[in-house]
C-alpha cells in the first residue's frame, strides 16, 4: 500500500515537472502527452490575460516614456508651447477598479530579463548578465544607461525580471484562500461542492447581497457559503468521497495526514472551471486560483532596491536583493538536484527551503517562521515590512507629509508678545522666505531686499524668473540680478514682522494645535510665545519644541488668517468657554492686586504704562488707588458682569468697574468662568485678546513690583501646632494598633462581602486617611494666609492645600491600586520590618512631611508609588493615542448638514439633531444658551 | 407562572414607538433619505419585542436628555 502511494506521488510529480517544462516553453512536443482536455482549458485560461498584457502593459509603458521625452523637450522651449501641452491632458473618470492576481504569463511578458545566477557582480565590479543586478533591470549608477529603455539614472523607472522556479511554491499571502478553495472543491473533479442546479441560485444570492448592501456583504456571504461547504464529504458532481484537509502553518497542507505538494494543489486548481471560481470571488480572466501557487517569480527592478556604496568603497546590497539572492541560489540547487536525479528527500528539503525563502521574501514576520536575518542578527525588511506599519510606505511616505518653508526649535515664554504673535529667532528669519511678486509699484521696495542680499536682514535669498527658473542671490550675482528684475519676477524675501505663520505643537490633537500667529523677529535662538496660549498647544517650557510654517501663496495666507488665527480659536468648541486665559503669575498677580493692594497714583500709572496702557483717564483722581480700580482700567466702560470667586464670594463688575470680589482662576483662567466668555461675546475676538493680554501682563508686572516667591519658610508652623499634628498622628497609630489587636483576637466586625483581613485593611486606611486629612486641616487653618504659597493656592495659580500639608505636616499613605503597599518580600514590604507586620509604617504610611524629611523606608515607599504612576502614564499615553487615532479616523467625514442632521460621507444619518439638542457649543456659554440674558440684552 | 420582565415598562428604557406607514413616509420625506440611510435596530432588541415590529418598520425613540429635555431618534428594524 505504502509503495503504491509513493509511486503514485512520483507519477504525479513527474507529471507536474512536465508541466513546468512546458512553461519553460522548450518542450512543445511533450504537450501532446497531456490530456487533450487540460490543454484546451489551459489555453483558454491563459489566452485572455495574454491579450490584455500584450495590448496594454508594454504599450502604455512605451507610450509613457515617449510622452515624457516629448514633455521634456517642450519645457526647455518657450512658454506658449507649455500652455499647449497642458491642454493635451486627457481627463478620465475612474469607473471601477479591479484587483487581480498576476498571471505567470504576464510576469514573463513584463519581464525584461530572466535571472539565472545568484552572483551580482563580476571581478571588475560590473553587473553580471542574468544576475540580480542585471543592467536590463534598470540603472542605479550615475553615468550608465539602461539596457532596456536606454534612459539615464532617475529617468529609467526600472524593469522587472523573472525567475523560473524549479518546483511550484505556495504564495504566503494566499494561503487562507487556497485552503478554502481546496476544502470546498472536489479532490477528484475539482468542482465546487455544490450541485450543478444550485450554483446559479448561489450566484443570485451573492449578486443580490452586493446590490443591496455593497461589496462587503458579498464577501460575508461568500465566507458563509464556504464554511458550509467544508463539512460536505461527498462530491455532488462525481460522487467522490472527500478527505479532510488540514494546514500546518504557515504553508504546508495535508490531506488525511498525508502531505499535498504544491504541484498537486496546482493541478487540482487548474481543473477548476471558471464558473466555480466566481463563487469564491475569483473572477477569471482577472484571476485564476492556480496563479496563487507560484511557478514563476517576478524580480523587482533594481531601482526599488538600490545598493549603497559605503565609505570604504564596499557595496552594501538592499535587503530585498539579499533575499532574492537566497531564492535564486536555492532554486539553482533545486534544479541541479532534480536534473541529477538526487534522492527525493534531498529534493524535498531544498523545496522546503525554497518555500521558506519565498515566504519570507513576501513577509518576514510570519508567525510560525523564524524571520530571515542579516549577519548582524537584525531581521531583513522584505516586501510586507516595506508597506506595513508606521514606518511603512503607506503611513510614512504616502500619508506622511513633509514640507519646506518650516522651522522647529525649542520654545520659551515672552509675556510681552501679543497673544497672536510668535517670536522668531533672527537665524530662522534669514532662512525662511516669503515670495513676493514684483509689479511696477513695489519694484523699488523689493529691490531693497535684493540689494541687502541673503546675509543682511531684511534681504532676499532667491529670485524666480517668469519662466520658473530659480536663482540664488549671492554677492557675485547681486548686481546682475538687480538689473534684471522687472514686473513678473518673484522675490523670496526674508521673513519679516507681521508675516503670517502657522504655529504647531505635537501631538496635534485638536484644531487649536495649529494656529496662525504674526511673526515678530527677535534676537535669541528660541521660538517665543505668550504663555497664555500654552494651554491650547498644551505646551510648557521644559524643553518643548514647536514647528513654524510659512504659507507661500495669497490663498494660503488668507486661509491661515481666516481659519487659524488665534483670535478665531478663543472659544473652545468642546465646552464653549475661553480656552486661553491667564496662567500662573497672571492669576496670582491679579489676585493680589484686586484683593488687597493699595498703590500710590504714581505706582499705579507706572504699573499701567508698563502693561502698555496710555490712557489713564479711568483712574480715579486720588492719591491712594486700590488694586480693583487699577484692574478696572483694563475693562471696557460699558461692561457688566456677575460671577463667583473660588471661595464663593460674589464678583461684580458694573459699568466697567470691579466693585466687589477679586480676580482668581475662576474668572481669569482658561476653561473656567464666564468673564472672558462674556467679554468675547460683547466686544469680539480682537478686543478679547487685547484685554486678556493686558490683564495677563498686569498680573505679571504687579508681581515684578511686589516681589513674589515661594519659600521654605512658607511651610513653617508654630511649635504648638507641630505638637498637635504629631498628637493626631500618634493617636491614629494607636487606633491602628488597637484595630490590629482586635483582628488578631478575632473580635473585628467584618464588613458585608469582605473577609476579615480586607475589613482590617479598609479600617486602617480609613483611620490613616482621616488622620492625614486632619493634619491637612490644621495646616490650612494655621498657615500664614499672606504667605506666597497660600496666595498661589488660594488664587488657583499653582498648587493646593494638600501640597502644602504634605510639605508642612504629613505626606500620608502611599497607595498602590487602592490598597496599602504590599509588594516586596514574602510577608513583608521591606527588610526593615518583621514578617506579618501590619503597622502603618510597614505598609507605606509616611508620617513625616517633606520639609522635616523622610526616613529611609518612607522614602522608599514614596519611590515605589512614584515609579508605579510613572509606569502607568508611560503605558497609558500610547494606548490612548491609538484610541484617539481610531476615533478621528472613524469620524473624520461626519458633518452637520443644513437640516441639522449629522451624516457620514454616504449621507447616512448618524444623529437626527446634532448632539441631541442641536447646540453649536462654540457659540454657547459652557454648552448653555442663556435665554434670559438674550431677552435682557434685546430689551424686550 | 413565570414572571415576565417587561422591558418597555422599565424606567431606564426610553419610549419606543412603532410608526405607521404614513408617519414613516413622512419621516423619510422630511430627511430626504431611504431606509438604508437610517440607523438600525435589530428586530430582536429587547426594547421592541413587545412592538411586534417587522424588518423595514420605523421605530421612533423618545429619550430623556439632560440638555434637550427630550430628544427624538429613529431607527429601522432589521434582521439580526
Ligand atoms: Mg514639556
Ligand atoms: Zn530602463
Ligand atoms: Zn467530484
Amino acid at each position: 500500500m505504502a509503495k503504491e502511494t509513493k509511486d503514485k506521488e512520483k507519477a504525479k510529480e513527474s507529471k507536474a515537472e512536465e508541466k513546468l517544462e512546458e512553461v519553460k516553453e522548450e518542450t512543445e512536443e511533450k504537450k501532446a502527452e497531456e490530456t487533450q482536455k487540460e490543454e484546451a482549458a489551459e489555453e483558454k485560461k491563459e489566452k485572455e490575460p495574454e491579450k490584455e498584457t500584450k495590448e496594454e502593459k508594454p504599450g502604455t509603458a512605451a507610450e509613457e516614456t515617449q510622452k515624457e521625452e516629448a514633455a521634456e523637450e517642450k519645457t526647455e522651449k518657450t512658454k506658449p508651447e507649455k500652455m499647449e501641452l497642458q491642454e493635451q491632458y486627457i481627463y478620465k473618470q475612474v469607473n471601477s477598479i479591479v484587483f487581480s492576481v498576476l498571471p505567470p504569463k504576464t510576469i514573463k511578458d513584463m519581464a525584461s530579463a530572466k535571472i539565472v545566477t545568484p552572483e551580482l557582480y563580476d571581478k571588475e565590479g560590473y553587473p553580471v548578465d542574468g544576475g540580480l543586478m542585471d543592467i536590463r533591470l534598470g540603472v542605479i549608477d550615475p553615468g550608465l544607461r539602461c539596457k532596456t529603455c536606454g534612459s539615464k539614472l532617475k529617468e529609467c523607472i526600472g524593469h522587472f525580471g523573472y525567475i523560473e522556479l524549479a518546483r511550484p511554491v505556495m504564495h504566503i499571502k494566499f494561503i487562507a484562500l487556497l485552503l478554502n478553495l481546496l476544502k470546498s472543491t472536489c479532490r477528484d473533479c475539482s468542482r465546487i461542492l455544490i450541485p450543478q442546479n444550485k450554483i446559479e441560485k448561489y450566484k443570485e444570492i451573492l449578486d443580490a447581497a452586493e446590490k443591496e448592501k455593497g461589496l462587503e456583504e458579498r464577501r460575508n456571504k461568500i465566507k458563509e457559503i464556504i464554511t458550509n461547504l467544508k463539512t460536505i464529504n461527498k462530491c455532488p458532481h462525481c460522487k467522490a468521497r472527500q478527505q479532510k484537509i488540514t494546514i500546518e502553518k504557515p504553508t504546508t497542507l495535508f490531506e488525511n495526514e498525508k502531505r499535498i505538494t504544491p504541484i498537486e494543489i496546482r493541478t487540482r486548481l487548474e481543473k477548476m472551471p471558471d464558473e466555480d471560481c466566481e463563487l469564491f470571488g475569483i473572477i477569471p480572466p482577472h484571476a485564476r486560483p492556480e496563479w496563487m501557487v507560484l511557478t514563476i517569480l517576478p524580480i523587482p527592478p533594481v531601482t526599488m532596491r538600490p545598493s549603497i556604496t559605503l565609505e570604504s568603497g564596499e557595496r552594501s546590497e538592499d535587503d530585498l536583493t539579499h533575499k532574492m539572492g537566497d531564492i535564486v541560489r536555492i532554486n539553482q540547487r533545486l534544479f541541479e538536484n532534480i536534473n541529477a536525479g538526487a534522492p527525493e528527500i534531498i529534493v524535498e528539503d531544498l523545496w522546503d527551503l525554497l518555500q521558506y525563502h519565498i515566504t519570507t521574501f513576501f513577509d518576514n514576520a510570519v508567525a510560525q517562521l523564524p524571520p530571515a536575518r542579516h549577519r548582524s542578527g537584525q531581521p531583513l525588511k522584505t516586501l510586507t515590512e516595506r508597506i506595513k506599519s508606521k514606518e511603512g510606505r503607506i503611513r510614512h511616505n504616502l500619508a506622511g507629509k513633509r514640507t519646506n518653508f518650516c522651522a522647529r526649535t525649542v520654545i520659551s515664554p515672552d509675556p510681552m508678545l501679543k497673544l497672536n504673535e510668535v517670536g522668531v529667532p533672527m537665524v530662522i528669519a534669514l532662512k525662511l522666505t516669503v515670495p513676493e511678486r514684483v509689479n511696477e509699484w513695489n519694484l523699488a521696495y523689493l529691490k531693497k531686499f535684493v540689494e541687502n542680499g541673503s546675509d543682511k536682514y531684511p534681504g532676499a535669498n532667491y529670485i524666480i524668473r517668469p519662466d520658473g527658473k530659480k536663482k540664488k542671490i549671492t554677492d557675485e550675482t547681486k548686481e546682475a540680478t538687480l538689473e534684471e528684475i522687472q514686473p513678473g519676477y518673484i522675490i523670496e524675501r526674508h521673513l519679516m514682522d507681521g508675516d503670517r505663520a502657522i504655529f504647531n505643537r505635537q501631538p496635534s490633537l485638536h484644531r487649536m494645535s495649529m494656529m496662525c500667529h504674526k511673526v515678530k523677529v527677535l534676537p535669541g535662538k528660541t521660538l517665543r510665545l505668550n504663555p497664555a496660549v500654552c494651554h491650547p498647544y498644551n505646551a510648557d517650557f521644559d524643553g518643548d519644541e514647536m514647528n513654524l510654517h510659512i504659507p507661500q501663496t495669497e490663498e494660503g495666507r488668507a486661509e491661515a488668517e481666516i481659519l487659524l488665527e488665534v483670535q478665531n480659536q478663543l472659544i473652545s468648541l468642546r465646552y464653549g468657554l475661553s480656552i486661553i486665559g491667564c496662567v500662573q503669575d497672571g492669576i496670582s498677580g491679579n489676585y493680589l492686586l484686586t484683593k488687597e493692594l493699595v498703590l500710590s497714583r504714581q505706582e499705579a500709572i507706572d504699573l499701567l504704562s508698563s502693561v502698555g496702557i496710555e490712557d489713564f483717564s479711568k483712574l480715579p483722581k486720588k492719591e491712594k488707588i486700590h488694586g480693583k480700580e487699577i484692574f478696572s482700567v483694563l475693562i471696557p466702560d460699558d461692561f457688566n458682569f456677575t460671577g463667583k470667586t473660588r471661595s464663593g464670594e460674589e464678583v461684580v463688575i458694573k459699568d466697567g468697574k470691579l466693585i466687589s470680589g477679586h480676580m482668581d482662576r475662576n474668572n481669569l483662567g482658561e476653561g473656567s468662568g464666564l468673564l472672558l466668555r462674556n467679554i468675547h461675546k460683547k466686544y469680539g475676538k480682537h478686543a478679547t485678546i487685547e484685554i486678556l493680554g493686558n490683564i495677563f501682563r498686569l498680573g505679571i508686572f504687579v508681581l515684578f513690583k511686589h516681589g513674589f516667591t515661594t519659600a521654605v519658610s512658607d511651610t513653617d508652623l508654630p511649635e504648638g501646632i507641630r505638637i498637635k499634628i504629631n498628637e493626631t498622628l500618634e493617636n491614629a497609630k494607636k487606633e491602628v494598633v488597637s484595630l490590629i489587636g482586635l483582628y488578631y483576637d478575632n473580635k473585628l466586625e467584618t464588613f458585608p462581602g469582605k473577609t476579615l483581613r480586607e475589613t482590617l485593611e479598609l479600617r486602617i486606611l480609613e483611620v490613616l486617611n482621616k488622620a492625614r486629612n486632619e493634619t491637612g486641616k490644621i495646616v490650612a487653618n494655621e498657615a500664614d494666609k499672606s504667605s506666597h504659597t497660600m496666595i498661589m493656592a488660594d488664587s488657583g495659580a499653582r498648587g493646593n492645600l494638600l501640597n502644602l500639608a504634605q510639605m508642612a505636616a504629613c505626606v500620608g499613605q502611599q497607595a498602590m491600586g487602592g490598597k496599602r503597599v504590599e509588594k516586596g518580600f514574602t510577608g513583608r514590604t521591606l527588610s526593615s520590618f518583621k514578617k506579618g507586620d501590619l503597622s502603618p509604617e510597614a505598609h507605606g504610611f509616611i508620617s513625616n512631611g517633606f520639609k522635616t524629611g523622610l526616613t529611609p523606608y518612607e522614602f522608599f515607599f514614596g519611590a515605589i508609588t512614584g515609579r508605579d504612576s510613572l509606569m502607568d502614564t508611560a503605558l497609558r499615553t500610547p494606548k490612548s493615542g491609538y484610541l484617539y487615532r481610531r476615533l478621528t479616523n472613524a469620524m473624520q467625514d461626519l458633518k452637520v448638514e443644513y437640516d441639522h442632521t449629522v451624516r457620514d460621507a454616504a449621507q447616512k444619518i448618524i444623529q437626527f439633531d446634532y448632539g441631541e439638542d442641536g447646540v453649536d457649543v462654540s457659540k454657547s456659554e459652557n454648552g448653555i444658551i442663556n435665554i434670559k440674558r438674550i431677552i435682557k440684552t434685546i430689551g424686550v | 407562572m413565570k414572571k415576565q420582565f417587561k422591558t418597555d415598562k422599565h424606567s431606564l428604557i426610553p419610549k419606543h414607538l412603532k410608526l405607521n406607514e404614513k408617519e414613516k413616509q413622512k419621516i423619510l420625506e422630511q430627511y430626504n433619505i431611504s431606509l438604508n440611510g437610517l440607523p438600525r435596530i435589530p428586530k430582536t432588541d429587547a426594547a421592541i419585542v413587545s412592538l411586534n415590529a417587522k424588518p423595514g418598520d420605523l421605530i421612533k425613540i423618545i429619550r430623556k436628555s439632560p440638555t434637550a429635555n427630550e430628544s427624538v431618534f429613529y431607527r429601522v428594524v432589521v434582521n439580526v
Side-chain angles (χ1 to χ4, degrees), chain A residues 212-213 899 901 903 907-913 915-917 927, chain B residues 31-33 36-39 63 65-68 71-74:
Chain A
E212 200 182 316
K213 286 173 191 159
D899 64 353
T901 55
R903 303 193 189 211
Q907 296 298 303
K908 287 189 175 181
I909 292 183
I910 308 297
Q911 283 181 348
F912 288 88
D913 205 359
E916 286 189 343
D917 52 14
Chain B
Y31 291 108
N32 188 22
I33 204 161
N36 283 331
L38 289 169
R63 298 171 175 153
S65 156
T67 50
S71 86
V72 180
F73 206 80
Y74 300 96

Side-chain angles (χ1 to χ4, degrees), chain A residues 138 146 148-149 151 156 159:
Chain A
C146 173
T148 304
C149 68
S151 34
C156 165
H159 314 277

Side-chain angles (χ1 to χ4, degrees), chain A residues 65 112 135-139 145-152 155-159 303:
Chain A
T65 43
S112 45
I135 35 172
R136 286 172 292 176
L137 301 186
V139 268
R145 272 185 184 274
C146 173
K147 226 179 178 182
T148 304
C149 68
S151 34
K152 287 178 282 188
E155 287 161 8
C156 165
I157 48 156
H159 314 277
T303 42

Side-chain angles (χ1 to χ4, degrees), chain A residues 186 189 235 237-238:
Chain A
C186 172
C189 69
C235 172
H237 301 276
C238 71

